Amino acid sequence: MGSASPTPEPVLSTPLRISIAGALGRMGQAVEAAVSARDDMVVTARFDRPGLEAPGIVTVEEALVLCDVVIDFTTPAASVALTRMVAARGGVAMIIGTTGLTEEDLAQIDASAATMPIVQAGNFSLGVNMLMGLVAQAARALGPDAYDIEIFEAHHRRKVDAPSGTALMLGEAAASGRGVDLAEASVRVRDGITGPREPGTIGFSVQRGGGIIGEHSVSFAAEDEILTLSHSARDRGLFARGAAEAARWVAGRPPGRYDMMDVLSLKA
Ligand code: NAD
Protein backbone atom coordinates (compact mmCIF):
# COMPACT_ATOMS: atom_id res chain seq x y z
CA MET A 1 0.00 0.00 0.00
CA GLY A 2 3.05 2.30 0.23
CA SER A 3 1.82 4.03 3.42
CA ALA A 4 4.08 6.45 5.28
CA SER A 5 2.19 5.54 8.46
CA PRO A 6 4.20 4.26 11.44
CA THR A 7 1.33 1.83 12.23
CA PRO A 8 1.91 -1.67 10.82
CA GLU A 9 -0.55 -2.42 8.04
CA PRO A 10 -3.10 -5.08 8.96
CA VAL A 11 -3.11 -8.39 7.13
CA LEU A 12 -6.41 -8.28 5.26
CA SER A 13 -8.56 -11.33 4.77
CA THR A 14 -10.04 -12.37 1.45
CA PRO A 15 -12.97 -11.99 1.41
CA LEU A 16 -12.92 -8.94 3.68
CA ARG A 17 -14.56 -9.69 7.05
CA ILE A 18 -17.27 -7.25 8.13
CA SER A 19 -18.87 -6.79 11.56
CA ILE A 20 -22.16 -4.90 11.62
CA ALA A 21 -22.89 -2.55 14.55
CA GLY A 22 -26.59 -1.89 15.05
CA ALA A 23 -27.29 -5.07 13.07
CA LEU A 24 -30.97 -5.14 14.10
CA GLY A 25 -31.63 -1.57 12.92
CA ARG A 26 -32.95 -0.42 9.55
CA MET A 27 -29.51 0.45 8.20
CA GLY A 28 -27.87 -2.57 9.87
CA GLN A 29 -30.22 -4.86 7.93
CA ALA A 30 -29.59 -2.95 4.69
CA VAL A 31 -25.82 -3.32 5.26
CA GLU A 32 -26.26 -7.07 5.81
CA ALA A 33 -28.02 -7.31 2.42
CA ALA A 34 -25.47 -5.09 0.64
CA VAL A 35 -22.44 -7.01 1.95
CA SER A 36 -24.09 -10.37 1.29
CA ALA A 37 -24.62 -9.37 -2.36
CA ARG A 38 -20.85 -8.99 -2.90
CA ASP A 39 -18.31 -11.76 -3.31
CA ASP A 40 -15.29 -9.73 -2.06
CA MET A 41 -16.62 -9.40 1.52
CA VAL A 42 -18.58 -11.40 4.07
CA VAL A 43 -20.51 -10.60 7.27
CA THR A 44 -18.68 -12.43 10.06
CA ALA A 45 -20.42 -10.87 13.08
CA ARG A 46 -23.45 -8.84 14.05
CA PHE A 47 -23.91 -6.94 17.28
CA ASP A 48 -26.40 -4.45 18.68
CA ARG A 49 -27.11 -2.67 21.99
CA PRO A 50 -25.29 -4.20 24.98
CA GLY A 51 -27.54 -6.71 26.72
CA LEU A 52 -29.79 -7.15 23.70
CA GLU A 53 -30.07 -10.85 22.93
CA ALA A 54 -31.28 -12.12 19.55
CA PRO A 55 -30.43 -15.00 17.22
CA GLY A 56 -27.15 -14.39 15.36
CA ILE A 57 -26.16 -11.46 17.62
CA VAL A 58 -22.81 -11.61 19.45
CA THR A 59 -21.16 -9.21 21.92
CA VAL A 60 -19.12 -6.28 20.64
CA GLU A 61 -15.97 -7.89 22.07
CA GLU A 62 -16.59 -11.08 20.10
CA ALA A 63 -17.43 -9.11 16.95
CA LEU A 64 -14.16 -7.14 16.99
CA VAL A 65 -12.06 -10.30 17.03
CA LEU A 66 -13.81 -11.57 13.93
CA CYS A 67 -13.47 -8.67 11.47
CA ASP A 68 -11.30 -6.36 9.37
CA VAL A 69 -13.89 -3.55 9.18
CA VAL A 70 -16.82 -2.54 11.42
CA ILE A 71 -19.74 -0.85 9.65
CA ASP A 72 -21.62 1.28 12.16
CA PHE A 73 -25.05 2.92 11.79
CA THR A 74 -26.16 3.32 15.43
CA THR A 75 -26.32 6.39 17.70
CA PRO A 76 -23.73 9.14 18.35
CA ALA A 77 -22.91 7.84 21.85
CA ALA A 78 -22.56 4.27 20.56
CA SER A 79 -20.37 5.29 17.60
CA VAL A 80 -17.99 7.32 19.78
CA ALA A 81 -17.67 4.52 22.34
CA LEU A 82 -17.16 1.97 19.58
CA THR A 83 -14.35 3.92 17.88
CA ARG A 84 -12.53 3.98 21.23
CA MET A 85 -12.89 0.20 21.60
CA VAL A 86 -11.80 -0.45 18.01
CA ALA A 87 -8.79 1.87 18.34
CA ALA A 88 -7.74 0.16 21.58
CA ARG A 89 -7.92 -3.23 19.89
CA GLY A 90 -6.02 -2.23 16.70
CA GLY A 91 -5.97 -3.83 13.25
CA VAL A 92 -9.60 -3.00 12.44
CA ALA A 93 -10.98 -0.12 10.34
CA MET A 94 -14.35 1.56 10.75
CA ILE A 95 -17.15 3.00 8.65
CA ILE A 96 -19.37 5.43 10.58
CA GLY A 97 -22.72 6.37 9.06
CA THR A 98 -24.39 7.55 12.27
CA THR A 99 -25.66 11.13 12.04
CA GLY A 100 -26.30 13.74 14.72
CA LEU A 101 -22.61 13.73 15.76
CA THR A 102 -21.60 16.89 17.67
CA GLU A 103 -18.26 18.71 17.33
CA GLU A 104 -17.26 17.01 20.59
CA ASP A 105 -18.20 13.59 19.17
CA LEU A 106 -16.13 14.30 16.03
CA ALA A 107 -13.16 15.40 18.16
CA GLN A 108 -13.33 12.07 20.00
CA ILE A 109 -13.59 10.17 16.71
CA ASP A 110 -10.57 12.13 15.42
CA ALA A 111 -8.60 11.05 18.51
CA SER A 112 -9.29 7.40 17.58
CA ALA A 113 -8.53 8.13 13.92
CA ALA A 114 -4.95 8.97 14.92
CA THR A 115 -4.30 5.22 15.09
CA MET A 116 -6.88 3.68 12.75
CA PRO A 117 -8.55 4.47 9.41
CA ILE A 118 -12.17 5.65 9.64
CA VAL A 119 -14.57 6.73 6.91
CA GLN A 120 -17.24 8.96 8.47
CA ALA A 121 -19.98 10.40 6.28
CA GLY A 122 -23.46 11.77 6.83
CA ASN A 123 -24.43 10.30 3.47
CA PHE A 124 -22.92 7.37 1.56
CA SER A 125 -24.63 7.90 -1.80
CA LEU A 126 -22.70 8.88 -4.92
CA GLY A 127 -25.50 11.26 -5.95
CA VAL A 128 -25.44 13.29 -2.72
CA ASN A 129 -21.66 13.56 -2.79
CA MET A 130 -21.90 14.80 -6.39
CA LEU A 131 -24.59 17.24 -5.24
CA MET A 132 -22.22 18.70 -2.62
CA GLY A 133 -19.71 19.62 -5.34
CA LEU A 134 -22.45 21.21 -7.46
CA VAL A 135 -23.79 23.19 -4.48
CA ALA A 136 -20.33 24.56 -3.64
CA GLN A 137 -19.88 25.57 -7.28
CA ALA A 138 -23.28 27.30 -7.48
CA ALA A 139 -22.74 29.07 -4.13
CA ARG A 140 -19.41 30.39 -5.40
CA ALA A 141 -20.99 31.75 -8.60
CA LEU A 142 -24.34 33.02 -7.26
CA GLY A 143 -23.50 35.74 -4.73
CA PRO A 144 -25.43 36.65 -1.56
CA ASP A 145 -26.63 40.04 -2.86
CA ALA A 146 -28.93 38.39 -5.40
CA TYR A 147 -29.30 34.73 -4.35
CA ASP A 148 -30.64 33.39 -1.04
CA ILE A 149 -29.62 29.83 -0.16
CA GLU A 150 -32.32 27.64 1.40
CA ILE A 151 -31.85 23.95 2.24
CA PHE A 152 -34.83 21.64 2.66
CA GLU A 153 -34.84 18.05 3.88
CA ALA A 154 -37.57 15.46 4.51
CA HIS A 155 -37.26 12.13 6.34
CA HIS A 156 -39.37 9.36 7.90
CA ARG A 157 -41.21 9.82 11.18
CA ARG A 158 -38.67 7.80 13.21
CA LYS A 159 -35.62 9.99 12.50
CA VAL A 160 -34.35 11.53 15.76
CA ASP A 161 -31.96 14.29 14.61
CA ALA A 162 -32.61 17.46 12.59
CA PRO A 163 -31.51 18.94 10.30
CA SER A 164 -30.24 15.70 8.75
CA GLY A 165 -26.50 15.01 8.52
CA THR A 166 -26.84 15.37 4.76
CA ALA A 167 -28.56 18.78 5.01
CA LEU A 168 -25.71 19.97 7.24
CA MET A 169 -23.13 18.62 4.75
CA LEU A 170 -24.93 20.53 1.98
CA GLY A 171 -24.88 23.60 4.22
CA GLU A 172 -21.11 23.18 4.68
CA ALA A 173 -20.70 22.87 0.90
CA ALA A 174 -22.72 26.07 0.33
CA ALA A 175 -20.81 27.90 3.07
CA SER A 176 -17.45 26.81 1.66
CA GLY A 177 -18.53 28.05 -1.81
CA ARG A 178 -19.44 31.41 -0.27
CA GLY A 179 -16.29 31.49 1.90
CA VAL A 180 -18.31 31.83 5.13
CA ASP A 181 -18.57 29.85 8.38
CA LEU A 182 -21.78 27.78 8.41
CA ALA A 183 -22.14 28.11 12.20
CA GLU A 184 -22.36 31.88 11.79
CA ALA A 185 -24.39 31.98 8.55
CA SER A 186 -27.01 29.31 9.26
CA VAL A 187 -30.62 29.96 10.31
CA ARG A 188 -31.92 26.67 11.70
CA VAL A 189 -35.30 27.75 13.06
CA ARG A 190 -37.87 30.39 12.06
CA ASP A 191 -40.92 31.04 14.22
CA GLY A 192 -43.08 34.08 14.96
CA ILE A 193 -42.14 37.62 13.87
CA THR A 194 -38.77 36.86 12.35
CA GLY A 195 -38.23 40.12 10.46
CA PRO A 196 -36.95 40.11 6.87
CA ARG A 197 -34.43 37.54 5.72
CA GLU A 198 -30.85 38.49 6.60
CA PRO A 199 -28.73 38.63 3.38
CA GLY A 200 -26.01 35.97 3.14
CA THR A 201 -27.67 33.56 5.57
CA ILE A 202 -28.19 29.87 4.78
CA GLY A 203 -31.65 28.71 5.85
CA PHE A 204 -32.75 25.20 6.82
CA SER A 205 -36.21 23.69 6.87
CA VAL A 206 -37.25 20.20 7.87
CA GLN A 207 -40.19 17.87 7.25
CA ARG A 208 -40.81 14.58 9.14
CA GLY A 209 -43.40 12.03 8.17
CA GLY A 210 -44.29 8.51 7.13
CA GLY A 211 -41.61 6.43 5.50
CA ILE A 212 -39.70 9.10 3.54
CA ILE A 213 -36.18 7.71 3.03
CA GLY A 214 -34.43 11.02 2.32
CA GLU A 215 -35.22 14.12 0.24
CA HIS A 216 -32.80 17.04 0.01
CA SER A 217 -32.85 20.22 -2.02
CA VAL A 218 -30.77 23.38 -2.10
CA SER A 219 -32.42 26.45 -3.65
CA PHE A 220 -30.71 29.60 -4.82
CA ALA A 221 -33.61 32.07 -4.84
CA ALA A 222 -33.32 35.47 -6.57
CA GLU A 223 -36.06 38.02 -7.29
CA ASP A 224 -36.47 36.73 -10.86
CA GLU A 225 -35.37 33.08 -10.82
CA ILE A 226 -34.84 30.06 -8.52
CA LEU A 227 -32.22 27.41 -9.16
CA THR A 228 -32.94 24.20 -7.21
CA LEU A 229 -30.49 21.31 -6.96
CA SER A 230 -32.02 18.21 -5.40
CA HIS A 231 -31.53 14.56 -4.52
CA SER A 232 -34.10 11.90 -3.77
CA ALA A 233 -33.20 8.59 -2.10
CA ARG A 234 -35.53 5.77 -3.17
CA ASP A 235 -34.08 2.85 -1.17
CA ARG A 236 -31.85 2.85 1.91
CA GLY A 237 -29.87 0.04 0.22
CA LEU A 238 -28.24 2.95 -1.62
CA PHE A 239 -26.46 4.08 1.59
CA ALA A 240 -25.61 0.51 2.56
CA ARG A 241 -23.99 -0.18 -0.82
CA GLY A 242 -21.97 3.03 -0.45
CA ALA A 243 -20.89 1.96 3.04
CA ALA A 244 -19.79 -1.45 1.71
CA GLU A 245 -17.80 0.30 -1.02
CA ALA A 246 -16.21 2.51 1.65
CA ALA A 247 -15.29 -0.63 3.67
CA ARG A 248 -13.48 -2.07 0.64
CA TRP A 249 -11.67 1.27 0.16
CA VAL A 250 -10.67 1.88 3.80
CA ALA A 251 -9.21 -1.53 4.60
CA GLY A 252 -5.44 -1.19 4.85
CA ARG A 253 -5.40 2.63 4.55
CA PRO A 254 -3.17 4.73 6.81
CA PRO A 255 -4.83 6.06 9.99
CA GLY A 256 -7.02 9.14 9.57
CA ARG A 257 -10.63 10.29 9.25
CA TYR A 258 -11.74 10.11 5.63
CA ASP A 259 -15.07 10.93 4.02
CA MET A 260 -17.07 9.72 1.05
CA MET A 261 -15.50 12.35 -1.21
CA ASP A 262 -12.16 10.54 -0.60
CA VAL A 263 -13.71 7.14 -1.34
CA LEU A 264 -15.29 8.40 -4.57
CA SER A 265 -12.19 10.45 -5.57
CA LEU A 266 -14.39 13.56 -5.75
CA LYS A 267 -12.02 15.85 -3.81
CA ALA A 268 -11.08 18.88 -5.93
P1 NAD B 1 -32.33 2.32 13.80
O1 NAD B 1 -32.85 2.92 15.07
O2 NAD B 1 -33.25 1.51 12.95
O3 NAD B 1 -31.04 1.39 14.12
C1 NAD B 1 -30.04 1.74 15.05
C2 NAD B 1 -29.58 0.43 15.71
O4 NAD B 1 -28.43 0.73 16.53
C3 NAD B 1 -30.65 -0.19 16.62
O5 NAD B 1 -30.82 -1.57 16.30
C4 NAD B 1 -30.07 -0.01 18.01
O6 NAD B 1 -30.46 -1.03 18.93
C5 NAD B 1 -28.56 -0.07 17.70
N1 NAD B 1 -27.72 0.41 18.79
C6 NAD B 1 -27.98 1.40 19.69
N2 NAD B 1 -26.95 1.51 20.57
C7 NAD B 1 -26.02 0.58 20.21
C8 NAD B 1 -24.75 0.19 20.74
N3 NAD B 1 -24.23 0.78 21.85
N4 NAD B 1 -24.06 -0.78 20.10
C9 NAD B 1 -24.57 -1.40 19.00
N5 NAD B 1 -25.79 -1.10 18.47
C10 NAD B 1 -26.50 -0.12 19.08
O7 NAD B 1 -31.73 3.54 12.97
P2 NAD B 1 -31.34 3.57 11.42
O8 NAD B 1 -32.46 4.12 10.62
O9 NAD B 1 -30.73 2.26 11.04
O10 NAD B 1 -30.23 4.73 11.43
C11 NAD B 1 -29.05 4.60 12.21
C12 NAD B 1 -28.19 5.85 12.00
O11 NAD B 1 -27.74 5.91 10.64
C13 NAD B 1 -28.94 7.17 12.24
O12 NAD B 1 -28.05 8.09 12.86
C14 NAD B 1 -29.30 7.64 10.84
O13 NAD B 1 -29.49 9.03 10.74
C15 NAD B 1 -28.05 7.20 10.11
N6 NAD B 1 -28.16 7.08 8.64
C16 NAD B 1 -27.07 7.46 7.92
C17 NAD B 1 -27.05 7.34 6.55
C18 NAD B 1 -25.79 7.69 5.79
O14 NAD B 1 -25.74 7.55 4.55
N7 NAD B 1 -24.73 8.15 6.50
C19 NAD B 1 -28.17 6.81 5.88
C20 NAD B 1 -29.28 6.41 6.63
C21 NAD B 1 -29.25 6.54 8.03
Side-chain angles (χ1 to χ4, degrees):
M1 288 282 163
S3 153
S5 156
T7 309
E9 289 188 5
V11 178
L12 298 176
S13 327
T14 309
L16 196 67
R17 298 169 309 156
I18 307 289
S19 278
I20 304 178
L24 298 175
R26 283 178 292 271
M27 280 305 301
Q29 291 173 52
V31 168
E32 170 99 39
V35 171
S36 303
R38 299 177 60 133
D39 52 16
D40 60 346
M41 56 183 64
V42 60
V43 177
T44 44
R46 301 155 191 84
F47 62 102
D48 205 280
R49 279 196 314 275
L52 196 154
E53 287 178 25
I57 295 293
V58 300
T59 64
V60 57
E61 291 80 8
E62 287 170 305
L64 295 189
V65 177
L66 294 170
C67 70
D68 304 301
V69 183
V70 178
I71 301 183
D72 163 58
F73 287 85
T74 55
T75 67
S79 295
V80 169
L82 189 55
T83 44
R84 255 189 254 120
M85 289 182 75
V86 175
R89 186 175 186 281
V92 173
M94 244 184 109
I95 305 301
I96 303 176
T98 305
T99 63
L101 298 166
T102 62
E103 289 298 321
E104 172 59 27
D105 293 334
L106 288 172
Q108 295 203 42
I109 289 171
D110 280 339
S112 299
T115 59
M116 63 185 276
I118 298 175
V119 177
Q120 179 269 323
N123 194 301
F124 280 94
S125 94
L126 172 60
V128 158
N129 285 277
M130 286 295 295
L131 179 61
M132 286 202 293
L134 297 171
V135 165
Q137 193 185 345
R140 205 172 297 124
L142 306 176
D145 291 345
Y147 292 88
D148 298 327
I149 303 179
E150 289 289 315
I151 299 173
F152 169 78
E153 61 102 335
H155 279 88
H156 54 86
R157 60 164 72 104
R158 292 167 298 272
K159 185 162 177 64
V160 296
D161 54 313
S164 68
T166 302
L168 293 171
M169 284 160 59
L170 292 167
E172 291 290 356
S176 75
R178 285 263 170 100
V180 298
D181 181 357
L182 182 64
E184 283 169 20
S186 68
V187 175
R188 304 261 291 244
V189 178
R190 293 184 180 112
D191 189 23
I193 310 296
T194 60
R197 192 182 194 283
E198 193 74 34
T201 51
I202 297 174
F204 288 83
S205 53
V206 172
Q207 185 182 83
R208 291 287 175 266
I212 304 168
I213 291 177
E215 301 290 323
H216 292 90
S217 68
V218 182
S219 294
F220 296 81
E223 293 285 354
D224 48 4
E225 65 175 352
I226 302 177
L227 168 68
T228 302
L229 302 171
S230 69
H231 180 270
S232 183
R234 301 297 167 89
D235 178 344
R236 56 177 54 84
L238 168 75
F239 309 122
R241 285 189 292 278
E245 201 52 46
R248 178 80 266 168
W249 181 91
V250 80
R253 295 266 160 193
R257 174 155 67 95
Y258 303 94
D259 61 24
M260 210 45 193
M261 302 287 262
D262 296 305
V263 176
L264 297 169
S265 302
L266 288 176
K267 285 251 156 94

